[in-house]
């Protein structure tokens, strides 16, 4: 079973629309797909809608950008 839980759409730093990502997932036989755009949920409704009637189980997600006061590094937290 193929699972992809960390994909970005055009609403973040990806190139495809949420519907295109769902279609691609279906073509590649991915059964579980989560779109986890950086700091936005703009594509989730489109992804949910596009997955209706397909074999793709859509999981709403987000990738939150964080910073830690004691570090210069950014931290990215994926939420599903």
């Amino acid at each position: 079973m193929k699972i992809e839980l960390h994909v970005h759409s055009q609403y973040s730093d990806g190139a495809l629309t949420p519907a295109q990502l769902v279609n691609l997932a279906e073509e590649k036989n991915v059964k579980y797909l989560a779109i986890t755009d950086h700091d936005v949920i703009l594509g989730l409704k489109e992804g949910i809608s596009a997955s209706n009637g397909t074999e793709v189980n859509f999981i709403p997600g987000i990738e939150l950008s964080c910073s830690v006061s004691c570090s210069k590094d950014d931290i990215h937290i994926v939420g599903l």
Side-chain angles (χ1 to χ4, degrees), residues 2 12 17-19 22 30-31 33 35-36 38 42 45-46 49 53-54 59 66 72-73 77:
K2 294 182 181 180
S12 183
T17 68
V22 170
V30 172
K31 297 299 179 194
L33 173 70
I35 292 179
T36 55
H38 290 277
L42 297 172
K45 284 184 183 180
E46 181 182 342
S49 178
T54 72
I59 302 168
C66 306
K72 295 179 184 177
D73 297 325
I77 301 169

Side-chain angles (χ1 to χ4, degrees), residues 11-69:
Y11 293 108
S12 183
D13 55 352
L16 302 176
T17 68
Q20 290 171 322
L21 289 170
V22 170
N23 291 337
L24 182 59
E26 189 170 36
E27 288 175 18
K28 301 291 185 179
N29 296 313
V30 172
K31 297 299 179 194
Y32 294 90
L33 173 70
I35 292 179
T36 55
D37 286 327
H38 290 277
D39 305 311
V40 296
I41 57 171
L42 297 172
L44 296 184
K45 284 184 183 180
E46 181 182 342
I48 291 167
S49 178
S51 68
N52 288 334
T54 72
E55 295 293 318
V56 177
N57 296 284
F58 188 83
I59 302 168
I62 190 167
E63 183 171 348
L64 299 172
S65 301
C66 306
S67 60
V68 180
S69 60

